[in-house]
Amino acid sequence: MESYTLRDGLTVPKVGFGTYKLNGAHGVQVIDSAIDRGYRLLDTAFNYENEGAVGEAIRRSSVPRSELIVSSKLPGRHHAYDEAIATIQESLYRAGLDYYDLYLIHWPNPKEDHYVEAWQALIDAQKLGLVRSIGVSNFLPEHLDRLEKETGVLPVINQVELHPYFNQQTQREYDQAHGILTQDWSPLGRASEMLQNPTLKAIAARYQKNVGQLILRWEVQLGTLPIPKSSTPKRQLGNQDIFDFEINADDMATINGMSSADGRLKNQDPAVYQEF
């Protein structure tokens, strides 16, 4: 597995594992399987209600905690400073962990306008040793500019919706210019539909890969970090098997040409979308 080094020095793998909707005993089994099959970055969130499952999978695994990058996210209803600190602590208690490697603000919730306060809480949580690195999710350039202006600190990661139908070119360019790694949620889009796309199928066949592997390779070549989720060991392995080929410039351009300004899957525009 190849890796990125974040601006603050933390090293993260170029492909992570998403855990959304992996809950309870089944979730523990799937996450444990992913760890056993080589995943070292696990992405969860307070609102996924599965931080406990992630922590239990880590405890069951033979892989030392120190070799894992564990990430969680602060929900919108707890952006107030004191609530944010307590929620980060609660996240750790739920998972049974002493620290998170990454902790993100899940959404900016600009109508409520408490995201700068929440960001200050993450800055202080890092100083307290609760988290190693801090980032955000679904933040637009205008939100990131404000964080820097009011706190002097920019995130090291910005996790956003990114897939062939919505390649986030403007956001990626902003993030790169500011030393922020773009991380991709929903990297395979609506997988059941996107994996059947005839254009993607034709390109994948030329590289003797499946469409999922093609998409994930495209995302890595964009300089981003996808976090696919899969419950099957075969697909868990396959989603990491993307470092033995390179997509040529013409095919990269074709995939990028599939993107559109309204390509979000559920119209969750961070400029107006609220999640609590």
Side-chain angles (χ1 to χ4, degrees):
M1 176 65 70
E2 297 177 5
S3 62
Y4 294 114
T5 299
L6 303 183
R7 195 178 69 251
D8 64 0
L10 183 69
T11 299
V12 295
K14 288 189 175 181
V15 177
F17 188 75
T19 68
Y20 180 56
K21 292 189 176 180
L22 294 178
N23 301 74
H26 173 70
V28 172
Q29 183 181 13
V30 171
I31 298 164
D32 187 34
S33 168
I35 296 171
D36 286 348
R37 280 154 185 81
Y39 288 90
R40 295 295 179 265
L41 190 160
L42 307 175
D43 178 81
T44 182
F46 194 90
N47 273 354
Y48 297 172
E49 297 184 345
N50 70 349
E51 291 166 316
V54 171
E56 180 62 20
I58 291 170
R59 285 185 290 277
R60 292 187 185 187
S61 171
S62 60
V63 176
R65 166 69 181 93
S66 60
E67 295 182 12
L68 298 172
I69 302 294
V70 189
S71 177
S72 194
K73 308 180 195 76
L74 179 74
R77 64 187 179 278
H78 294 312
H79 277 190
Y81 180 89
D82 289 342
E83 290 185 33
I85 293 290
T87 301
I88 295 168
Q89 293 168 333
E90 182 64 28
S91 278
L92 290 169
Y93 298 150
R94 288 181 176 192
L97 299 175
D98 295 326
Y99 65 93
Y100 278 109
D101 300 274
L102 282 164
Y103 207 87
L104 318 178
I105 300 175
H106 207 153
W107 287 84
N109 284 17
K111 292 179 183 178
E112 302 298 314
D113 196 24
H114 295 302
Y115 64 88
V116 175
E117 186 176 353
W119 182 240
Q120 186 62 58
L122 263 64
I123 293 170
D124 291 345
Q126 185 180 37
K127 294 175 182 176
L128 292 169
L130 301 176
V131 298
R132 295 175 66 191
S133 295
I134 53 175
V136 294
S137 184
N138 304 298
F139 272 51
L140 298 173
E142 63 203 63
H143 304 136
L144 295 164
D145 284 342
R146 188 172 170 203
L147 293 186
E148 184 174 33
K149 180 180 179 181
E150 297 195 23
T151 71
V153 179
L154 278 171
V156 295
I157 273 184
N158 185 17
Q159 184 184 118
V160 298
E161 178 180 357
L162 195 154
H163 44 75
Y165 298 163
F166 193 63
N167 73 0
Q168 290 272 20
Q169 181 175 347
T170 300
Q171 185 66 59
R172 286 188 289 108
E173 290 174 350
Y174 176 98
D175 289 349
Q176 185 176 25
H178 291 80
I180 302 168
L181 177 65
T182 303
Q183 192 177 54
D184 317 335
W185 64 261
S186 207
L188 301 178
R190 290 191 179 95
S192 58
E193 185 277 329
M194 194 170 290
L195 297 182
Q196 299 304 316
N197 182 282
T199 299
L200 294 174
K201 289 177 74 173
I203 296 174
R206 289 202 289 273
Y207 296 98
Q208 298 182 315
K209 294 289 183 178
N210 62 45
V211 175
Q213 290 168 324
L214 175 77
I215 293 172
L216 295 171
R217 178 66 199 182
W218 166 74
E219 288 161 342
V220 167
Q221 285 185 216
L222 291 178
T224 69
L225 195 169
I227 46 172
K229 181 187 75 173
S230 176
S231 296
T232 65
K234 181 178 179 181
R235 185 65 61 81
Q236 289 173 354
L237 288 170
N239 285 347
Q240 297 177 92
D241 186 21
I242 63 169
F243 296 100
D244 60 350
F245 76 108
E246 184 170 349
I247 304 170
N248 67 40
D250 288 344
D251 289 335
M252 287 291 291
T254 298
I255 300 171
N256 280 315
M258 300 171 69
S259 184
S260 64
D262 60 351
R264 297 183 189 276
L265 297 180
K266 297 181 180 178
N267 197 33
Q268 293 171 302
D269 182 353
V272 295
Y273 181 75
Q274 302 272 95
E275 180 169 87
F276 297 97

